[in-house]
Amino acid sequence: MSAGVEASEARIDAAEAAEVGTVSASDGELTSEQIDRGFFLLALTSFVFYIGFQIVQAIQPNFFRDVLGMNGAQNGYLIAIRELPGFLLIFVAAFLLRLGLARATSLSLLIMGIGYCLFAFAGSFGQLIIPTLIASIGFHSWLQLQPALGLSLSRHGNEGSMLGRINGIGFLGSLIGLVGVFALLTWIERTKGPLEEYQAPYLRGLFVVVLFSGVLGAILIYRFPMSANDKAAAAAAPRIVWRKEYYLYYALSFLDGSRQQIYFAFAPFVLVEEFGVDARTMTLLLIISALVSWRAGPIIGRLDDRIGEKRFLTIAYCAHFVVFLGFALTRNIWLLYAFYLGYQFLFLFSVGTTTYLKKIARREDIAPSLAMGVSLAHLTAVIVPIVGAALWSRLGYQFPFLFGTVFVIISLILTQRIDPERQGFNVYKTGVNG
């Protein structure tokens, strides 16, 4: 039902755009029917993707600790390995983009599903390395391809709304996947016994389920429509983009990635290892997060369009600062739950950097620039988790989060320089303002 409502909204947007001549078959743009179909396919693919991805997010910390016997430091090292393909994404994207956005996305989802499926057969930290690298290649490719497809459906002024609606439907998929995991773990505990003793074969089976999620998503997105202008831009686009006009996007991507490495490597393990939170409770937290994100996604997207990226990202980074200090300074488990949910909610604000790029970039630069952004976000992917793991081992779990506040503060300072009207590529082409 939600997908139908969102598709109707996309149809209205397309009709409005057609009235002012921005959407028509004759000028090489998508027709309203194509936008409608593209929105439906991308939203449904995001829905299917998030079912599988959130299954992994829900069970991974406890699978690593309870089944494979890993600790927080080892998880940090595995994160460093996992993020290596993200750093190399500009080279992966240079190959994938030759296939076209839709086919590249389809292949990425298939690779990701295969990688996560192989987790089911791992018996130690060492045996996770190859599956982690395979899954990471697919996942990080999706990270830059999904917003590129969404932006291809948007028109000026509704970029945030378009991405927000797509993400909202994606989080509905998260909710369904997480509820399924929660129900399974509850059944195990009530019919078998303690989760730590009986959950292993079921957790392994869930990783196999993720393969089906990847395959279905690959089939769906393969038929995504591309306009003649977007096809021409993709054909003419440089495979690797580095332009001085986009320096602020690059810097924010780099800092966001460094901050995210801290959170995703250590926040779940703080709850699991330091406070003994079990898999069912972790899943319940993610269900709450998915429920909030599902309803808030479109609202956050519209807020980005209404107040602009500068104020939007300023709010986001101030909230990130509070969350990181909270993880570092509190020992109250309920407050930690709140900070954990807060960070999950703040993930919605990442649309701000994407819509900022859309406003300043050449059309043909958007997809490869998103790939460059993901690569820069992983430039410190190996170093930051290792530094964080060392801080955890020697000083305590609080210190990786104190380290992370440095990235948040610098991001907040740089955000004050955002001005899309002055920084757009047309300004540079005409020589105005430098």
Side-chain angles (χ1 to χ4, degrees), residues 2-26:
S2 295
V5 173
E6 301 297 353
S8 298
E9 293 179 1
R11 230 182 342 260
I12 293 171
D13 286 342
E16 291 174 348
E19 291 177 2
V20 296
T22 58
V23 178
S24 65
S26 60

Side-chain angles (χ1 to χ4, degrees), residues 244-288:
K244 66 178 182 179
E245 298 99 312
Y246 311 155
Y247 82 95
L248 198 52
Y249 169 74
Y250 296 150
L252 290 174
S253 296
F254 168 79
L255 292 165
D256 286 351
S258 299
R259 182 197 72 243
Q260 289 168 8
Q261 302 310 320
I262 295 291
Y263 176 81
F264 288 115
F266 302 110
F269 256 74
V270 167
L271 297 177
V272 171
E273 185 171 304
E274 295 294 324
F275 292 86
V277 178
D278 62 24
R280 193 170 62 158
T281 303
M282 291 295 295
T283 304
L284 181 60
L285 289 173
L286 290 173
I287 288 173
I288 296 170

Side-chain angles (χ1 to χ4, degrees), residues 216-257:
L216 180 56
I219 294 171
L220 287 168
I221 204 61
Y222 191 81
R223 302 301 296 173
F224 183 89
M226 298 295 297
S227 71
N229 288 341
D230 282 327
K231 289 179 180 177
R239 301 307 172 186
I240 297 176
V241 170
W242 180 270
R243 300 191 190 280
K244 66 178 182 179
E245 298 99 312
Y246 311 155
Y247 82 95
L248 198 52
Y249 169 74
Y250 296 150
L252 290 174
S253 296
F254 168 79
L255 292 165
D256 286 351

Side-chain angles (χ1 to χ4, degrees), residues 26-268:
S26 60
D27 63 2
E29 297 293 344
L30 294 173
T31 64
S32 59
E33 292 79 9
Q34 288 174 317
I35 290 177
D36 188 10
R37 182 162 65 93
F39 179 89
F40 177 78
L41 288 173
L42 182 56
L44 191 56
T45 301
S46 298
F47 175 85
V48 170
F49 163 81
Y50 275 106
I51 289 177
F53 182 68
Q54 287 298 336
I55 287 175
V56 172
Q57 293 296 99
I59 67 175
Q60 192 170 256
N62 293 85
F63 178 74
F64 288 172
R65 185 195 68 172
D66 299 334
V67 180
L68 302 186
M70 292 170 51
N71 58 37
Q74 285 180 313
N75 189 61
Y77 301 138
L78 188 65
I79 292 293
I81 295 169
R82 186 191 73 185
E83 300 306 322
L84 182 60
F87 170 60
L88 300 174
L89 184 62
I90 51 173
F91 305 107
V92 176
F95 166 74
L96 288 176
L97 290 176
R98 297 179 185 274
L99 305 175
L101 284 177
R103 291 181 179 181
T105 307
S106 181
L107 181 58
S108 298
L109 290 171
L110 184 60
I111 291 171
M112 186 193 72
I114 292 171
Y116 282 128
C117 179
L118 293 175
F119 276 43
F121 308 98
S124 66
F125 170 81
Q127 292 175 9
L128 278 176
I129 293 175
I130 298 301
T132 294
L133 288 171
I134 294 172
S136 181
I137 290 171
F139 169 70
H140 286 103
S141 297
W142 161 266
L143 281 185
Q144 55 99 11
L145 291 166
Q146 189 249 18
L149 291 172
L151 291 175
S152 76
L153 301 173
S154 69
R155 55 189 172 88
H156 185 71
N158 86 327
E159 296 92 348
S161 298
M162 179 61 73
L163 295 179
R165 295 204 303 270
I166 291 170
N167 287 336
I169 293 174
F171 281 112
L172 176 60
S174 296
L175 182 62
I176 291 174
L178 292 167
V179 168
V181 172
F182 183 80
L184 175 63
L185 295 176
T186 300
W187 176 81
I188 294 171
E189 190 170 55
R190 291 181 178 178
T191 62
K192 303 291 184 180
L195 287 175
E196 291 79 4
E197 296 181 21
Y198 294 97
Q199 66 185 345
Y202 298 95
L203 296 186
R204 292 183 186 277
L206 286 172
F207 283 117
V208 177
V209 170
V210 179
L211 173 62
F212 294 99
S213 174
V215 171
L216 180 56
I219 294 171
L220 287 168
I221 204 61
Y222 191 81
R223 302 301 296 173
F224 183 89
M226 298 295 297
S227 71
N229 288 341
D230 282 327
K231 289 179 180 177
R239 301 307 172 186
I240 297 176
V241 170
W242 180 270
R243 300 191 190 280
K244 66 178 182 179
E245 298 99 312
Y246 311 155
Y247 82 95
L248 198 52
Y249 169 74
Y250 296 150
L252 290 174
S253 296
F254 168 79
L255 292 165
D256 286 351
S258 299
R259 182 197 72 243
Q260 289 168 8
Q261 302 310 320
I262 295 291
Y263 176 81
F264 288 115
F266 302 110

Side-chain angles (χ1 to χ4, degrees), residues 279-319:
R280 193 170 62 158
T281 303
M282 291 295 295
T283 304
L284 181 60
L285 289 173
L286 290 173
I287 288 173
I288 296 170
S289 171
L291 181 61
V292 172
S293 297
W294 166 42
R295 303 310 303 166
I299 298 171
I300 296 300
R302 290 194 293 270
L303 179 65
D304 179 33
D305 290 335
R306 185 163 61 247
I307 69 176
E309 288 82 6
K310 181 177 179 178
R311 284 189 286 178
F312 183 78
L313 290 174
T314 296
I315 293 170
Y317 291 130
C318 288

